[in-house]
Amino acid sequence: MTQHPPPFVLDPAARDADAEHALLRAQGSAARIDILGVEAWSVTDPVLLKELLTSPDVSKDARRHWPGFDEAVQTWPLALWVAATNMFTAYGGDHRRLRRIVAPAFSARRIAALQPTVEGIVERLLDGLEATPPGEVADVRELFAYPLPIAVIGTLLGVPEDRATEFRGLVNDVFATTLTPEEAAANAEQLYAMLDALIAAKRAEPGEDMASVLIALGEADGQTLAEEELRDTLLLMINAGYETTVNLIDQAVTTLLTHPEQLTHVREGRATWPDVVEETLRHSPPVKHLPLRYALADIPLPDGRTIAEGEAILASYAAANRHPGWHTDPDAFDVTRITKEHLAFGHGIHFCLGAALARMEGEIALGAFFERFPDAELAPADGDMRPVASLISNGHRSLPVRLRPPRG
């Protein structure tokens, strides 16, 4: 294995992610990093990252292509991210087969059909926020950003609302990067137990939802899912459809209330809610770093270094989105920005299937929230706006908002 200088150790709690991303970019197109004890290459240059995300010489299948896999699944807190068996970790033909099975759940027709459901959920949640007395503060992440995607993914998969809420804490800990290996393993065990219970319930009483469709796949079309693939595919759909949308709404509300002139652009017709969503995805994407990919061959870097065969690669989306070679004044949040290209949903064959659903949820939620509460303002007490303790998830622990001014 190639010898390298000591790697840059990523902060597990991500207390100052923006500064950390700037340090990574300063090391060139890729930087040697330590992510919770595993060494990898953090790729922050968007040109190189796009090349690697579409290269046949880069795999997401840790079992086949990462020499560190056996040790990682025993000792790494993020073992679930590399050990699951679904399209997220698949390569080649396996990836194509699994993606083909899941893709119908996110067809344009199905997403369009979900729009009235999303609008209804949003209105119900805003009705709940209306109960907050004028002048008092509500946690908009807890009371709005969280329950919306939980309810939507529950509808898509046919998960009863009470069970969907049960998944919340377990999914949060999948994204946490301050757990011990033992805590992470215990969380995964509980999560799989809940998935097994969901599968059993759907087998007993199938419906029209996507979970029932996946479970019912037969041999006739050659698209069968092994039991492990079924569990891990449902796990992926719940994880990807939940935490990321929470963060999208959280970051958009936070940034618009921090920069009210940007909200004015929308209200006066110089920008749209889709503009807000895209600029949020560029400026503060829901996922900062996404583990992991693996080099199938030596990959030369522009500066003469080499990602050696078998070495791990970390897609550092948040750092790449603000690369100064890609956007003018990349750290500024500007909804009128002409080019808002980003990598928040990935790129290439692993591009997020749920991107259209996340965008729709964000646009509906933000438009309705700011119409209902035009005078909303941030109201953080000390420590309220701390980031989520995660290298992966990009949100706040709470989002305190004064929805209406005090009476009188």
Side-chain angles (χ1 to χ4, degrees):
M1 190 70 70
T2 305
Q3 295 298 310
H4 300 287
F8 180 93
V9 179
L10 297 179
D11 175 13
R15 285 164 287 198
D16 192 352
D18 289 346
E20 196 167 75
H21 299 162
L23 290 172
L24 292 174
R25 287 193 297 264
Q27 296 190 39
S29 57
R32 291 290 303 175
I33 55 98
D34 176 309
I35 175 170
L36 308 184
V38 164
E39 291 192 19
W41 290 90
S42 164
V43 181
T44 61
D45 178 81
V47 175
L48 175 63
L49 188 49
K50 287 179 183 179
E51 289 177 1
L52 297 183
L53 294 177
T54 55
S55 171
D57 287 335
V58 176
S59 169
K60 293 192 78 176
D61 190 334
R63 284 180 172 84
R64 293 168 59 189
H65 301 129
W66 187 31
F69 174 77
D70 289 339
E71 181 179 356
V73 294
Q74 299 297 323
T75 62
W76 200 35
L78 299 181
L80 188 61
W81 287 83
V82 299
T85 306
N86 52 38
M87 66 180 180
F88 180 80
T89 56
Y91 175 78
D94 283 338
H95 175 261
R96 289 189 292 273
R97 173 178 61 85
L98 292 167
R99 190 176 177 95
R100 190 166 54 244
I101 290 170
V102 177
F106 299 97
S107 67
R109 180 184 59 80
R110 188 178 282 263
I111 298 305
L114 275 172
Q115 182 169 335
T117 299
V118 174
E119 291 171 342
I121 295 168
V122 166
E123 289 304 312
R124 174 172 58 81
L125 294 172
L126 292 177
D127 289 345
L129 285 176
E130 284 274 10
T132 306
E136 293 195 11
V137 174
D139 184 349
V140 170
R141 182 175 172 96
E142 176 70 24
L143 299 175
F144 186 56
Y146 262 126
L148 171 59
I150 286 176
V152 173
I153 203 66
T155 299
L156 186 66
L157 293 178
V159 182
E161 188 171 348
D162 59 333
R163 299 308 306 272
T165 304
E166 285 182 66
F167 276 109
R168 172 181 161 176
L170 299 174
V171 171
N172 285 348
D173 280 349
V174 170
F175 286 81
T177 51
T178 55
L179 303 182
T180 65
E182 293 76 19
E183 289 170 334
N187 184 72
E189 185 177 349
Q190 288 181 267
L191 191 51
Y192 277 126
M194 290 192 66
L195 287 169
D196 287 341
L198 172 64
I199 291 168
K202 290 295 173 184
R203 282 196 169 120
E205 295 185 40
E208 299 298 320
D209 53 86
M210 194 59 194
S212 297
V213 170
L214 291 174
I215 291 166
L217 279 172
E219 298 287 347
D221 57 5
Q223 292 193 124
T224 53
L225 281 170
E227 192 71 11
E228 185 179 21
E229 291 175 335
L230 170 61
R231 289 202 311 168
D232 284 346
T233 295
L234 292 174
L235 171 66
L236 173 61
M237 294 175 76
I238 291 169
N239 282 353
Y242 158 55
E243 181 81 7
T244 52
T245 308
V246 174
N247 289 338
L248 169 59
I249 296 169
D250 170 350
Q251 293 286 8
V253 172
T254 299
T255 311
L256 287 172
L257 294 181
T258 305
H259 301 281
E261 77 283 356
Q262 299 299 315
L263 186 55
T264 300
H265 286 317
V266 180
R267 286 174 168 160
E268 295 183 355
R270 291 184 292 275
T272 63
W273 290 115
D275 286 326
V276 172
V277 167
E278 293 310 304
E279 180 64 351
T280 302
L281 290 166
R282 184 203 68 80
H283 183 268
S284 301
V287 169
K288 295 191 284 279
H289 304 281
L290 190 66
L292 280 175
R293 287 171 164 82
Y294 319 96
L296 273 62
D298 289 356
I299 299 172
L301 297 176
D303 60 8
R305 294 176 297 164
T306 298
I307 300 177
E309 179 182 352
E311 289 188 321
I313 299 168
L314 183 69
S316 294
Y317 294 137
N321 278 359
R322 295 202 202 178
H323 194 283
W326 197 3
H327 296 287
T328 302
D329 198 7
D331 289 329
F333 182 86
D334 181 4
V335 295
T336 67
R337 187 185 297 275
I338 300 301
T339 301
K340 302 182 183 71
E341 285 184 290
H342 57 77
L343 290 166
F345 294 122
H347 183 71
I349 60 172
H350 283 278
F351 184 83
C352 177
L353 276 175
L357 178 58
R359 284 176 163 129
M360 181 181 73
E361 289 182 58
E363 291 164 17
I364 292 172
L366 294 168
F369 176 84
F370 283 102
E371 181 178 357
R372 186 80 72 98
F373 303 110
D375 299 316
E377 60 181 6
L378 285 180
D382 290 344
D384 274 352
M385 299 295 293
R386 288 176 299 164
V388 172
S390 174
L391 286 162
I392 301 170
S393 185
N394 191 18
H396 301 91
R397 299 188 192 192
S398 65
L399 178 49
V401 176
R402 185 172 290 105
L403 299 171
R404 293 182 294 251
R407 287 196 179 96

